[in-house]
């Protein structure tokens, strides 16, 4: 019997929290978080554009902070919290960032969108009222070839207002 | 965008078109649910990788794939992707199909290729100087792929009339699309033995034709599904070797085969903007009026043709569309070089000479001591003009555009007012909406739409148009919803699928809104006419009085008198049987009115004597 090539051997196993749910996954040990999310967990919302850490399309939140999942080994994610675009909405509703991106034309081809959404969420979690320059800086690692970024900045700003309005109704 | 509250020809307010609203595909995109080609995972799916040439130009003496084929996890090795010769670094030589992507990648190292290095041709000038070895056997001669020579009016006469002649040489270095999504494709042998391929292509119809030819299969047994493209910009409009590889492998292995290119490989596929060396000779009067222009281009095509014949025409065709140029001569020359092939990229061949023309205009303004904006205003071509090369311009209104830009930008306050190293400039450009001719010669429509009207009140749109981020799905839904007075949410779209929808030539040349849009309009209007007949009969209202809006069909004289859209479909179905309509669009050929069809006057095409 032929021995399985190493890449076919799912010998690594981790338990981590994916979009709020405890998750177990087995995978080949060389795999990046990006590959495990997409190939072993079927979470294809996270994209890839270079797999070299240049384009930002694979950004996810690791313990609340944006990381490039193509540069993170999945074995390093044991016990940690991962948030992807699939986990942005709550109770069947879109996150205000998602609503704003959809309404204001900030998603055109939609390929860079998931990563920009989670990156923007990390910004708003830290700084609920960012300036245009702070938004610009926060997503400066995410390339978008369709929009020219203006609609993206406007959508983040619209989401800021909506989140603030939601909070004031709650309190 | 149409302003809110714009009106249709019959005076009705537009309710969908031009009204800000969420795109039909926006929710899928912001939730990560849009299924791009590499998001497709199928049971038993194998992965493919291509072995690419490390040499810019070489003869393949020998390939030995036996070690790769024996590697554990490898299912298949395909060779002869490039038959006996590689023409650029990255030209594919062989393909490995394996259980895992990494296995396929590693097995590439086990393919032994013996190359005989050939002379590398790395620039257009070198291509002209080096007719042998020929990179391709086809083309004009030597390493010249395509020559174009056109003259409209007597240009020498124009130069004789001029007060000043300007001669300038410019070089545009080329660039690439860099869509964030890398090209990907998945192919399967269907359970019935036919072929289906999903691919991030802008042109499923052209891929369909290419696959039928290469695989020697009837096109009717091949289904191409263009997945939404994560950006295209022209870079995904050629049928690619990797698409043919997965199709062939899926048929041979009878299992799904996927390929996703690495970013490096995307650069090898290229098809980006051509590097162009260009010479402009322009005659002007003292007041700035152009008396004649002669443009020569030397175009670096890279290693393959792509849509380069069209690029060579485009590089000269649109110079006349912005400013009045009464006499115009164009000579274009596209060469083959040993670099990744150039092809269509946004504006397809026109931005390069546009850059040269606009820079030269600034030099002209400088010499004539005119404000560059005033010069352009003075010579701007007007709406509905017929250009020297027989383009009938539509609603150009360039002068008004320049006036507004000058006003809003604060041009008068800024021009020449900034410190050394900073400045403002003004340039204009124009592009046509859709190509008048298809890539292959035929008289059939360029776009077709089928509509299915359902008893539920829903309408399904079937069309070959391809969503690449530009909003083609939304355009179709918007037009159909507008005509039928329903919401875009009531519409289902089946697009970019050669089995489901009528042909649309693809998402290129800014053509989809015009062509698929008009096809959708025609289909929707035909559907509305059927529904109107049935409702008019039922309500006993003259059909001219019926309006379609807010999911209702009602008497415009007595709006409370009406039926729901769903009831209208049911009435029509009861009256006429199952309701479906079609629409199509074929670009018109201009006839009569003293305007001939585009009939260039050929001049003898001597090789460009480029010094």
């Amino acid at each position: 019997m032929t021995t399985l090539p190493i890449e076919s051997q799912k010998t690594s196993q981790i338990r981590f929290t994916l979009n709020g749910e405890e998750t177990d996954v087995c995978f080949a040990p060389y795999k990046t978080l990006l590959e495990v999310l997409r190939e072993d967990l079927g979470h294809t919302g996270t994209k890839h554009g270079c797999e070299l850490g240049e384009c930002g399309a694979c950004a996810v939140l690791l313990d609340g902070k944006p990381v490039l999942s193509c540069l993170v080994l999945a074995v390093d994610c044991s016990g940690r919290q991962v948030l992807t675009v699939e986990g942005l909405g709550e109770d069947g509703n879109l996150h205000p960032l998602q609503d704003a991106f959809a309404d204001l034309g900030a998603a055109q081809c939609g390929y860079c969108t998931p990563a920009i959404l989670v990156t923007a969420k990390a910004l708003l979690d830290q700084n609920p009222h960012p300036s245009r320059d702070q938004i610009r800086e926060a997503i400066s690692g995410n390339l978008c070839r369709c929009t020219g970024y203006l609609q993206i900045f406007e959508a983040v700003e619209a989401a800021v207002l909506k989140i603030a309005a939601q909070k004031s109704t709650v309190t | 965008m149409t302003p809110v509250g714009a009106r249709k020809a019959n005076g009705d307010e537009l309710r969908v078109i031009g009204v800000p609203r969420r795109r039909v595909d926006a929710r899928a995109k912001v939730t990560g649910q849009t299924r791009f080609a590499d998001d497709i995972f199928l049971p038993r799916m194998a992965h493919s990788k291509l072995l690419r040439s490390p040499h810019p130009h070489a003869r393949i003496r020998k390939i030995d794939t036996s070690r790769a084929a024996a590697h554990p996890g490898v299912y298949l090795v395909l060779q002869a992707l490039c038959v006996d010769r590689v023409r650029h670094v990255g030209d594919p030589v062989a393909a490995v199909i394996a259980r895992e992507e990494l296995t396929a990648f590693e097995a590439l190292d086990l393919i032994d290729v013996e190359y005989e290095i050939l002379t590398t041709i790395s620039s257009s000038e070198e291509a002209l100087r080096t007719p042998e070895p020929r990179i391709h056997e086809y083309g004009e001669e030597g390493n010249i792929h395509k020559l174009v020579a056109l003259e409209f009016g007597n240009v020498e006469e124009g130069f004789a009339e001029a007060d000043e002649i300007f001669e300038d040489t410019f070089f545009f270095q080329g660039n690439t699309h860099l869509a964030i999504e890398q090209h990907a494709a998945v192919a399967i042998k269907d359970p019935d033995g036919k072929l289906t391929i999903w691919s991030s292509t802008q042109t499923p119809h052209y891929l369909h034709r290419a696959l039928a030819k290469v695989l020697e299969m009837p096109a009717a047994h091949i289904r191409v599904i263009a997945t939404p493209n994560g950006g295209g910009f022209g870079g995904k409009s050629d049928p690619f070797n990797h698409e043919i590889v997965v199709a062939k492998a899926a048929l041979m292995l009878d299992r799904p085969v996927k390929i996703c290119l690495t970013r490096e490989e995307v650069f090898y596929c290229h098809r980006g903007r051509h590097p162009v060396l260009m010479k402009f000779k322009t005659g002007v009067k003292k007041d700035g009026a152009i008396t004649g222009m002669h443009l020569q281009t030397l175009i670096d095509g890279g290693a393959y043709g792509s849509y380069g014949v069209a690029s060579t025409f485009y590089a000269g065709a649109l110079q006349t569309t912005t400013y009045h140029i009464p006499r115009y001569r164009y000579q274009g020359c596209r060469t083959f070089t040993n670099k990744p092939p150039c092809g269509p990229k946004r504006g397809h061949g026109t931005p390069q000479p546009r850059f040269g023309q606009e820079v030269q205009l600034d030099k002209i303004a400088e010499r004539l001591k005119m404000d560059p904006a005033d010069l352009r205003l003075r010579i701007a071509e007007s709406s509905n003009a017929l250009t020297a090369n027989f383009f009938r311009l539509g609603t150009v209104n360039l002068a008004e555009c320049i006036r507004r830009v000058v006003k809003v930008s604060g041009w008068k306050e800024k021009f020449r007012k900034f410190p050394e190293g900073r400045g403002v400039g003004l340039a204009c450009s124009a592009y046509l909406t859709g190509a008048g001719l298809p890539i292959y010669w035929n008289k059939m429509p360029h776009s077709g739409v089928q509509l299915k009207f359902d008893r539920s009140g829903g309408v399904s749109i079937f069309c070959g148009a391809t969503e690449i981020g530009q909003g083609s799905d939304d355009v179709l839904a918007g037009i159909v919803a507008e005509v039928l007075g329903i919401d875009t949410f009531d519409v289902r779209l089946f697009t970019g699928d050669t089995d489901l929808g009528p042909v649309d030539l693809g998402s290129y040349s800014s053509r989809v809104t015009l062509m698929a849009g008009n096809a959708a309009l025609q289909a929707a209007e035909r559907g509305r006419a059927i529904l109107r007949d049935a409702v008019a009969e039922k309500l006993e209202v003259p059909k001219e009085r019926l309006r379609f809006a807010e999911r209702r069909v009602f008497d415009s004289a007595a709006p409370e008198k009406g039926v729901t859209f769903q009831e209208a479909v049911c009435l029509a179905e009861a009256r006429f049987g199952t309701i479906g309509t079609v629409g199509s669009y074929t670009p018109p050929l201009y006839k009569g009115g003293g305007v001939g069809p585009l009939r260039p006057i050929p001049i003898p095409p001597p090789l460009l004597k480029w010094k």
Side-chain angles (χ1 to χ4, degrees):
Chain A
M1 205 179 121
T2 345
T3 315
L4 273 178
I6 183 80
E7 54 271 21
S8 297
Q9 296 177 27
K10 297 191 171 187
T11 53
S12 288
Q13 184 185 351
I14 59 166
R15 174 169 294 184
F16 71 122
T17 308
L18 174 58
N19 297 329
E21 286 181 5
E22 288 279 283
T23 303
D24 273 347
V25 60
C26 295
F27 52 91
Y30 70 90
K31 280 196 167 184
T32 62
L33 175 60
L34 170 71
E35 290 167 324
V36 169
L37 286 171
R38 290 178 52 84
E39 297 165 11
D40 297 283
L41 289 165
H43 279 52
T44 54
T46 303
K47 307 300 176 195
H48 54 80
C50 66
E51 294 168 88
L52 300 163
E54 297 285 348
C55 74
C58 65
V60 300
L61 302 191
L62 185 60
D63 297 330
K65 294 206 175 87
V67 295
L68 298 176
S69 63
C70 75
L71 298 182
V72 175
L73 280 175
V75 287
D76 282 341
C77 297
S78 183
R80 304 176 76 176
Q81 302 264 349
V82 172
L83 185 89
T84 68
V85 70
E86 287 93 343
L88 266 185
E90 269 177 34
D91 307 323
N93 297 314
L94 297 185
H95 187 279
L97 278 164
Q98 291 173 305
D99 269 327
F101 272 59
D103 286 336
L104 298 178
Q108 285 187 22
C109 82
Y111 199 80
C112 69
T113 307
I116 293 181
L117 284 167
V118 295
T119 307
K121 180 188 186 298
L123 169 69
L124 301 192
D125 288 347
Q126 290 284 312
N127 176 2
H129 296 282
S131 65
R132 173 66 66 101
D133 278 345
Q134 287 168 327
I135 297 169
R136 201 190 296 268
E137 191 184 338
I139 63 164
S140 60
N142 298 86
L143 299 183
C144 167
R145 294 287 286 157
C146 297
T147 61
Y149 302 101
L150 207 57
Q151 298 94 320
I152 294 173
F153 300 147
E154 288 167 358
V156 174
E157 285 164 354
V160 164
L161 295 177
K162 192 172 169 189
I163 293 168
Q166 278 175 354
K167 279 190 183 147
S168 63
T169 5
V170 174
T171 50
Chain B
M1 191 193 270
T2 317
V4 177
R7 288 179 183 281
K8 298 185 213 178
N10 69 1
D12 279 4
E13 199 173 316
L14 288 166
R15 290 161 187 272
V16 182
I17 311 263
V19 179
R21 63 184 165 79
R22 185 174 286 196
R23 277 168 65 147
V24 292
D25 51 350
R27 191 178 184 283
K29 285 173 175 173
V30 299
T31 55
Q33 291 178 86
T34 299
R35 202 161 70 143
F36 297 95
D38 194 44
D39 298 338
I40 297 170
F41 288 88
L42 299 170
R44 297 175 65 247
M45 188 170 78
H47 299 266
S48 179
K49 278 281 159 203
L50 303 184
L51 178 69
R52 293 177 181 273
S53 166
H55 305 297
H57 200 189
R59 196 175 306 287
I60 300 165
R61 278 220 188 107
K62 210 168 90 184
I63 301 187
D64 183 355
T65 59
S66 54
R67 289 197 301 146
H71 189 64
V74 170
Y75 296 139
L76 179 69
V77 182
L78 291 172
Q79 45 174 302
L81 298 187
C82 278
V83 184
D84 67 52
R85 199 135 60 108
V86 289
R87 295 175 171 87
H88 66 91
V89 172
D91 221 359
V93 176
V96 174
I97 294 92
R99 174 167 162 170
E100 309 288 342
E101 193 179 18
L102 194 61
T103 310
F105 183 70
E106 285 178 346
L108 295 181
D109 284 346
L110 303 175
I111 300 175
D112 302 298
V113 188
E114 212 181 289
Y115 292 103
E116 174 196 336
I117 307 294
L118 300 172
T119 310
T120 299
I121 294 168
S122 60
S123 71
S124 283
E125 294 93 323
E126 219 176 323
L128 292 182
R129 282 199 307 268
T130 322
E132 296 287 337
R134 290 188 79 182
I135 295 173
H136 290 284
E137 298 312 311
Y138 69 92
E140 306 275 357
E141 61 180 88
N143 281 308
I144 295 172
H145 172 212
K146 180 69 188 170
L147 288 168
V148 172
L150 307 165
E151 183 162 5
F152 305 93
N154 189 334
V155 174
E156 293 308 324
E157 214 173 271
F159 291 148
E161 269 179 30
D163 294 323
E164 299 232 32
I165 304 278
F166 291 80
E167 289 189 75
D168 293 288
T169 303
F170 301 98
F171 180 64
F172 186 101
Q173 85 278 23
N175 55 33
T176 200
H177 320 79
L178 214 82
I180 304 292
E181 179 207 25
Q182 301 125 298
H183 307 47
V186 182
I188 59 167
K189 189 190 266 191
D190 286 332
D192 63 5
K194 299 194 199 84
L195 173 72
T196 295
I197 179 168
W198 291 265
S199 183
S200 47
T201 176
Q202 297 176 233
T203 53
H205 176 61
Y206 294 154
L207 175 59
H208 194 202
R209 286 172 52 83
L211 286 171
K213 190 174 164 188
V214 176
L215 301 173
E216 297 176 320
M217 276 172 75
H221 301 167
I222 300 171
R223 177 182 187 186
V224 178
I225 301 172
T227 48
N229 288 198
F233 317 116
K236 294 168 183 165
S237 28
D238 246 340
F240 283 102
N241 36 55
H242 65 264
E243 294 168 319
I244 292 160
V245 163
V246 291
K248 181 75 183 169
L251 290 174
M252 289 174 72
L253 294 169
D254 197 3
R255 65 193 304 158
V257 178
K258 177 193 264 191
I259 193 163
C260 181
L261 302 190
T262 63
R263 178 52 61 186
E264 185 181 343
E265 289 179 290
V266 173
F267 286 116
Y268 296 142
C269 287
H270 191 44
R271 270 77 175 172
R273 192 168 321 292
H274 291 73
V276 181
L277 187 62
M278 49 206 143
K279 271 186 188 172
F280 280 86
K281 183 175 180 185
T282 306
V284 292
K285 302 293 272 185
K286 283 201 179 72
D287 65 357
I290 294 172
T291 58
M293 177 183 281
H294 179 192
L295 167 64
Q296 284 174 283
T297 62
L298 185 59
I299 302 172
D300 183 346
Y304 289 95
S306 181
Y307 295 102
V309 171
S311 318
T312 312
F313 275 101
Y314 274 135
L318 299 185
Q319 299 316 110
T320 54
T321 54
T322 41
Y323 310 113
H324 184 63
I325 299 174
R327 305 168 189 88
Y328 179 58
R329 182 196 293 150
Y330 171 62
Q331 288 169 298
C333 172
R334 185 183 193 264
T335 61
F336 287 125
T337 57
N338 294 116
K339 295 188 286 192
C342 296
K345 177 171 186 269
R346 307 196 60 171
H348 197 173
T350 65
Q352 300 98 314
R354 172 58 53 189
F355 145 75
Q357 188 177 356
E358 294 292 324
V359 174
Q360 191 183 48
L361 273 181
D362 280 354
K363 296 176 82 169
I364 293 171
E366 189 84 17
R367 178 91 63 86
L368 300 181
K369 299 190 181 356
M370 288 176 76
D371 178 294
D374 289 341
L375 169 64
R376 287 173 171 83
L377 259 180
R378 193 165 297 181
I379 60 176
E381 194 55 282
S382 48
S383 294
N384 301 313
L386 182 69
T387 69
N389 55 341
F390 299 100
F391 276 127
R392 173 67 75 191
L393 304 185
T395 49
V396 175
N397 221 353
L398 178 61
E400 180 57 20
C401 179
I402 295 173
R403 272 185 220 107
R404 284 201 204 175
V405 167
V406 164
K407 191 171 168 216
V408 175
S409 67
W411 170 263
K412 296 281 177 194
E413 296 76 52
K414 289 176 184 163
F415 181 64
R416 289 182 178 282
K417 303 288 189 331
F418 285 118
E420 175 87 23
R422 289 187 65 208
V424 292
L426 192 148
C428 304
S429 189
Y431 193 66
L432 40 79
T433 306
L437 297 171
I439 293 296
Y440 64 102
W441 212 255
N442 72 80
K443 289 181 174 175
M444 293 178 280
H446 289 210
S447 193
V449 166
Q450 283 182 328
L451 296 182
K452 180 205 127 196
F453 293 74
D454 195 86
R455 293 177 192 187
S456 65
V459 175
S460 299
I461 302 177
F462 301 86
C463 179
T466 305
E467 174 60 53
I468 63 167
Q470 88 281 44
S472 71
D473 278 3
D474 194 71
V475 161
L476 292 171
I479 288 171
V480 169
E482 182 71 64
V483 171
L484 298 176
I486 57 178
D487 193 281
T488 53
F489 201 57
D490 305 330
V491 172
R492 276 190 196 280
L493 286 141
F494 300 88
T495 53
D497 184 323
T498 59
D499 259 16
L500 290 185
V503 166
D504 175 85
L505 294 184
S507 285
Y508 61 89
S509 279
S510 303
R511 57 173 293 287
V512 175
T513 300
L514 173 74
M515 301 197 189
N518 268 307
L521 181 65
Q522 188 180 57
E525 284 177 342
R526 286 173 176 171
R528 185 174 60 184
I530 296 170
L531 268 50
R532 183 152 46 195
D533 284 349
V535 175
E537 192 176 282
K538 172 78 177 175
L539 298 182
E540 296 175 339
V541 169
K543 59 184 176 184
E544 297 73 29
R545 279 206 341 234
L546 289 178
R547 289 278 178 277
F548 288 64
E550 293 173 346
R551 297 187 174 115
R552 288 180 73 236
V553 183
F554 56 91
D555 182 354
S556 55
E560 68 289 348
K561 189 174 179 185
V563 298
T564 64
F565 181 78
Q566 185 193 356
E567 285 164 348
V569 175
C570 292
L571 287 170
E573 201 175 326
R575 179 75 178 75
F576 305 112
T578 302
I579 310 295
T581 57
V582 294
S584 55
Y585 182 82
T586 313
L589 283 175
Y590 287 110
K591 280 179 195 154
V595 182
L598 184 70
R599 204 167 274 143
I601 306 146
I603 58 172
L607 290 190
L608 289 189
K609 290 203 179 72
W610 202 277
K611 285 169 195 160

